[in-house]
Amino acid sequence: MSDHKIYALEPPSEVLLLTDYPDIQEENLSPLKNINGFDVRPGFYEINGASALPNGVNFTIVSHSATSCELVLFHRESQTPYAVIPFPEEYRIGNVYSMFVFGLKINEFEYAYRIDGPWLPDQGLTFDKSRYLLDPYARAVTGQSAWGKKLSAGEFYKARVVHNNFDWGEHPSPAVPLKDSIIYELHVRGFTKHPSSGVSCPGTFEGLREKIPHLKELGINVVELMPVFEFDEMRNARTVNGKQLLDYWGYNPVCFFAPNTSYTASLEYNREGRELKMLIKELHDNGIEVILDVVFNHTAEGNENGPFFSFKGIDNNIYYMLTPDGHYYNFSGCGNTLNCNHPMVRDLILNCLRYWVFNYRVDGFRFDLASILGRNEDSTPMNKPPLLESLAYDPILYDVDLIAEAWDAGGLYQVGQFPSWNRWAEWNGKYRDDLRSFLKGDDGLASAAAKRIIGSPDLYPPDKRGYDASVNFITCHDGFTLYDLYAYNQKHNENNGWNNTDGADDNRSWNCGEEGETDDPAIRALRFQMIKNACMVLMCSRGTPMFFAGDEFGNTQFGNNNAYCQDNEISWLDWTMKETNREIFDFFKYMIHLRLKHQILRENTGSVRCGFPPVSLHGTRPWESDYTWETKMIGIMYAGRNKIPGDNTAEQDDIIYLGINTWWHHQEVELPKLSEGSFWIPLADTSRGKDTIISGKEVLDKRIYVMQPRSCVLFTVRRLID
């Protein structure tokens, strides 16, 4: 026998001696081979991807229809291989090729595969041995390490083998229940790329880490990062009006297991996402969870005319949804559709999510165009999609948030009907639409708006789905910012280069009297008031609130509602707005704090002494909830019990009343009658401008309150005598 000792590694990070596998004896191992100068043995078939071991590297790749496979090694950053190692036929078991290569040092090489097989495009088979293929399980990708640098002719993606030895310490995740979460959606690059951010490494994970104090000040306890998987921002890169446009958002994944290298402040060789891990650890240390926006509905390989760098050359007819004649279904709107419910693809997705939870300590995932994950291989929707069920019941994913964008580009809309197993939450697109329309004064929306605010029980019955099934949002990355929602009647996407034909036309926005920027103080004041209205309603709605980064200080995209390609001032947060619009920021901070203080805004907490129900609807008069087509005022009252601050054993009544007047005239509102000795206390009134926050400094001596036009008010109850 050779004096080479074999080690097994991964998952995830510990090194195991061969003696730790008592059922494996050295005399039962295949003889050592030497192929093109490298000592090799059959590898560890159950370990996907490339794993670094003390004596070498284990390589495993799966292909159902391949006839042969080669491992190709490159010196770092070279495009010319220095070694090609064919997998011996006996190193293939079933559809799995696995080989252990002795003597490799991971900081000295990069790798790819070449796979041979039939070329029958009309049957979906597109093998091409001349192409270098990226490992689907690659933990680090090279080729586009610098942001905005296109792969030149002759360049291609390659993988690096990485160490997984990050020290997470003993601090656990913040473990914020979804119903208690305040989700803050952000784009890693756009969050700090603007010169006003003041960070040392703009546009990177490190830059975001420097902005954690802002998140803490605001009261955020969950950040949702737009895609951070390795993606191709140069796909469809073009120049419009003298500016280079990129696929800036990141919804073009190249590799699901690797963090985007161009988001790092320095090149990371073989360190497995150290900067991203440092960011996540520091966020956790500050009580902030991390949700990743993941894209398993398509890849950057596109359709027949797209690039060819991974799945197309491994098992095109398995990884992608194909028509009977071998063309690509396009339910993603991006050229192809991942065949998510094929067993091999299901395993890939499940292994990927486990990897991010185990190795990056991620707290949850938001699934882009998640309805695709429920389509069968023939493209039809499934009743009980096996992938979604597997994710719902997987033991490693048990504690993480699973949030679906419950629609796709093929017209499958499943809001309120997404297969959930009481594990999946949903982006509530109906909340966005109904509240946008009602808040700007549209007719016929009062009843729908009230349902959305109290948790959309028509979509998510609390006795079946609890209080965390609905992720409520009025704005997100896709569409107008909150400021633009009240500054533009129409989208202004001319800078995208499509003659303003791209982006949604149904924005349900209102410019408050003038399109775009204005110096008119009355219009600016009204816009601020409308922003505060939206914030108050969002933070007083049952479900999980989410808003887009920059909304808290009135950031604008200048009317662009589809800024996917704008890597410039259109998408970058202008941090000077935090002081310019301090009034908005302070109100967001106040409302977030108030929501977290009052548990009744998040769930039922028990019966109150005065006998009010946990949730009740009102009009201009108490208990009038038969809203008509013309109704422009709704009142929502939450009542329950709450812990007395400083005394965990005692409870007191907690009552919150939210009033919303979307009419352009004032309305006289009568509040519900209280027991003797109790009084209504105003907390906030958005019509008061910079004095919006009242916070209990006044007592309402009567039950009548005059609500000003297009305003929201918030009351609590204080008992002044016993």
Side-chain angles (χ1 to χ4, degrees):
M1 291 295 295
S2 164
D3 60 357
H4 289 295
K5 292 186 184 294
I6 301 178
Y7 294 77
L9 179 73
E10 307 256 359
S13 60
E14 59 270 13
V15 177
L16 303 175
L17 293 174
L18 179 62
T19 54
D20 291 320
Y21 292 84
D23 57 328
I24 301 177
Q25 302 297 325
E26 285 202 20
E27 60 266 23
N28 294 328
L29 294 173
S30 302
L32 186 73
K33 282 182 178 286
N34 187 282
I35 301 177
N36 295 338
F38 291 88
D39 289 341
V40 301
R41 284 192 189 278
F44 295 93
Y45 290 80
E46 74 278 14
I47 305 175
N48 292 300
S51 302
L53 313 181
N55 283 30
V57 178
N58 186 80
F59 297 91
T60 301
I61 188 167
V62 179
S63 177
H64 179 78
S65 300
T67 56
S68 66
C69 180
E70 294 176 334
L71 172 67
V72 187
L73 303 179
F74 303 81
H75 291 302
R76 223 162 63 177
E77 299 185 4
S78 172
Q79 306 304 311
T80 303
Y82 73 85
V84 177
I85 310 175
F87 284 78
E89 182 58 32
E90 63 269 27
Y91 285 20
R92 174 176 181 166
I93 297 178
N95 298 322
V96 184
Y97 296 87
S98 190
M99 179 166 57
F100 185 91
V101 183
F102 291 96
L104 292 180
K105 297 180 179 179
I106 66 170
N107 61 338
E108 295 179 352
F109 76 93
E110 298 165 353
Y111 74 97
Y113 293 106
R114 289 196 305 217
I115 299 179
D116 202 6
W119 176 265
L120 299 168
D122 59 338
Q123 299 179 31
L125 300 173
T126 55
F127 291 95
D128 185 345
K129 189 180 178 181
S130 69
R131 296 181 182 270
Y132 297 113
L133 302 177
L134 179 65
D135 183 355
Y137 280 83
R139 269 64 166 181
V141 176
T142 182
Q144 279 184 285
S145 297
W147 177 268
K149 182 180 180 297
K150 192 177 182 67
L151 289 174
S152 59
E155 287 187 311
F156 44 89
Y157 296 113
K158 302 186 296 295
R160 297 193 188 110
V161 186
V162 297
H163 281 306
N164 182 25
N165 54 6
F166 185 81
D167 183 7
W168 287 98
E170 298 181 357
H171 297 289
S173 164
V176 181
L178 195 56
K179 64 181 175 59
D180 298 335
S181 297
I182 310 291
I183 301 179
Y184 186 82
E185 187 195 25
L186 66 87
H187 187 280
V188 170
R189 181 171 171 85
F191 194 61
T192 62
K193 187 59 181 175
H194 196 281
S196 62
S197 70
V199 301
S200 61
C201 302
T204 66
F205 295 129
E206 178 61 25
L208 172 53
R209 191 164 73 97
E210 294 181 49
K211 283 294 186 182
I212 290 177
H214 171 79
L215 302 176
K216 289 280 288 182
E217 180 186 8
L218 185 56
I220 298 301
N221 55 20
V222 179
V223 294
E224 182 177 304
L225 304 181
M226 290 174 65
V228 298
F229 291 176
E230 188 68 52
F231 62 83
D232 181 12
E233 73 274 9
M234 298 307 295
R235 186 183 180 209
N236 299 322
R238 54 209 164 86
T239 300
V240 173
N241 298 330
K243 288 190 175 183
Q244 186 182 44
L245 304 186
L246 311 176
D247 273 358
Y248 160 81
W249 276 351
Y251 292 94
N252 266 310
V254 167
C255 183
F256 300 124
F257 288 80
N260 189 30
T261 50
S262 59
Y263 279 172
T264 60
S266 58
L267 290 178
E268 294 186 346
Y269 286 102
N270 314 113
R271 299 182 74 182
E272 197 181 20
R274 181 173 178 80
E275 286 187 22
L276 177 54
K277 290 179 177 178
M278 290 173 62
L279 168 64
I280 294 173
K281 184 178 187 302
E282 190 159 334
L283 285 166
H284 283 179
D285 290 345
N286 282 275
I288 301 172
E289 288 192 339
V290 177
I291 291 175
L292 297 187
D293 188 344
V294 294
V295 186
F296 291 115
N297 54 73
H298 75 285
T299 77
E301 286 191 299
N303 58 19
E304 294 85 353
N305 301 316
F308 186 125
F309 60 78
S310 187
F311 293 131
K312 285 182 177 178
I314 297 173
D315 267 320
N316 181 64
N317 64 332
I318 285 178
Y319 285 102
Y320 295 119
M321 241 180 241
L322 302 179
T323 65
D325 58 355
H327 294 284
Y328 295 89
Y329 280 116
N330 185 20
F331 299 114
S332 67
C334 298
N336 63 47
T337 304
L338 211 62
N339 191 15
C340 296
N341 282 293
H342 187 284
M344 282 177 56
V345 186
R346 292 204 312 262
D347 285 348
L348 175 81
I349 294 173
L350 180 58
N351 288 334
C352 177
L353 297 176
R354 287 174 164 180
Y355 175 80
W356 283 97
V357 170
F358 203 100
N359 292 287
Y360 284 82
R361 309 296 169 91
V362 167
D363 304 288
F365 302 94
R366 176 266 184 188
F367 293 79
D368 180 63
L369 298 182
S371 290
I372 285 176
L373 278 64
R375 288 185 181 269
N376 205 343
E377 294 181 60
D378 64 0
S379 81
T380 57
M382 305 177 75
N383 184 32
K384 292 184 177 180
L387 172 61
L388 300 181
E389 184 177 26
S390 296
L391 301 185
Y393 289 110
D394 185 75
I396 289 181
L397 304 181
Y398 178 77
D399 287 328
V400 304
D401 299 325
L402 302 176
I403 303 172
E405 183 184 34
W407 55 84
D408 66 23
L412 183 56
Y413 188 80
Q414 296 178 301
V415 171
Q417 300 174 325
F418 192 81
S420 72
W421 291 274
N422 285 329
R423 273 286 285 125
W424 286 83
E426 301 174 19
W427 268 25
N428 191 345
K430 292 184 179 180
Y431 179 98
R432 173 200 59 202
D433 295 343
D434 290 343
L435 264 299
R436 281 189 178 192
S437 294
F438 180 67
L439 288 175
K440 76 183 183 71
D442 286 355
D443 291 330
L445 270 299
S447 180
K451 288 178 183 177
R452 302 296 155 249
I453 294 169
I454 65 174
S456 296
D458 55 329
L459 303 176
Y460 314 106
D463 58 333
K464 296 180 180 179
R465 298 291 298 271
Y467 293 97
D468 55 6
S470 177
V471 174
N472 301 326
F473 67 103
I474 295 174
T475 60
C476 63
H477 70 274
D478 191 0
F480 280 144
T481 67
L482 190 55
Y483 178 87
D484 289 356
L485 193 63
Y486 300 113
Y488 295 91
N489 282 349
Q490 307 294 331
K491 65 185 181 184
H492 292 271
N493 299 351
E494 293 83 2
N495 288 325
N496 292 357
W498 308 113
N499 296 318
N500 206 31
T501 59
D502 63 304
D505 293 314
D506 182 22
N507 295 290
R508 308 182 187 213
S509 61
W510 178 50
N511 65 17
C512 296
E514 186 173 335
E515 190 77 354
E517 292 304 308
T518 179
D519 294 327
D520 188 317
I523 292 177
R524 284 184 55 81
L526 180 55
R527 288 176 179 175
F528 278 29
Q529 183 168 313
M530 297 294 288
I531 290 170
K532 292 177 187 176
N533 290 346
C535 174
M536 183 184 290
V537 170
L538 180 65
M539 293 303 160
C540 291
S541 296
R542 290 275 174 90
T544 302
M546 183 194 77
F547 61 95
F548 189 45
D551 281 348
E552 72 273 22
F553 49 71
N555 193 66
T556 179
Q557 291 181 170
F558 310 101
N560 193 317
N561 76 347
N562 188 35
Y564 77 99
C565 56
Q566 298 293 339
D567 179 34
N568 50 53
E569 290 82 359
I570 289 176
S571 290
W572 299 343
L573 265 64
D574 181 354
W575 287 88
T576 65
M577 292 294 100
K578 182 176 179 179
E579 291 306 318
T580 301
N581 299 334
R582 189 79 195 189
E583 176 185 337
I584 296 175
F585 178 80
D586 287 343
F587 187 70
F588 261 83
K589 183 168 65 173
Y590 172 77
M591 286 304 307
I592 290 171
H593 173 77
L594 186 140
R595 178 180 178 84
L596 295 177
K597 178 181 177 182
H598 293 274
Q599 187 179 353
I600 58 169
L601 294 175
R602 310 190 299 279
E603 62 181 333
N604 292 347
T605 62
S607 300
V608 292
R609 216 168 18 177
C610 57
F612 289 151
V615 181
S616 54
L617 302 182
H618 308 268
T620 55
R621 297 293 177 266
W623 314 106
E624 291 182 354
S625 58
D626 294 329
Y627 303 136
T628 68
W629 183 262
E630 292 80 18
T631 296
K632 294 290 192 295
M633 188 277 158
I634 61 176
I636 295 172
M637 185 170 66
Y638 301 108
R641 302 288 287 173
N642 201 9
K643 299 289 186 184
I644 296 177
D647 186 349
N648 289 328
T649 63
E651 291 184 338
Q652 61 185 2
D653 284 355
D654 192 14
I655 300 172
I656 293 287
Y657 179 97
L658 168 68
I660 309 168
N661 176 26
T662 65
W663 202 21
W664 40 94
H665 298 291
H666 71 268
Q667 297 206 65
E668 190 176 87
V669 177
E670 180 183 344
L671 300 176
K673 184 178 180 180
L674 300 173
S675 59
E676 186 176 354
S678 296
F679 295 85
W680 287 107
I681 308 296
L683 296 175
D685 182 338
T686 62
S687 70
R688 300 194 186 189
K690 293 184 178 180
D691 297 320
T692 289
I693 300 172
I694 307 168
S695 197
K697 298 175 184 177
E698 302 174 6
V699 176
L700 195 64
D701 57 354
K702 298 180 181 179
R703 291 192 294 120
I704 303 299
Y705 192 85
V706 178
M707 291 193 64
Q708 298 304 313
R710 301 188 187 276
S711 69
C712 291
V713 295
L714 202 61
F715 292 90
T716 190
V717 172
R718 184 179 300 163
R719 187 168 179 81
L720 300 183
I721 60 174
D722 292 321

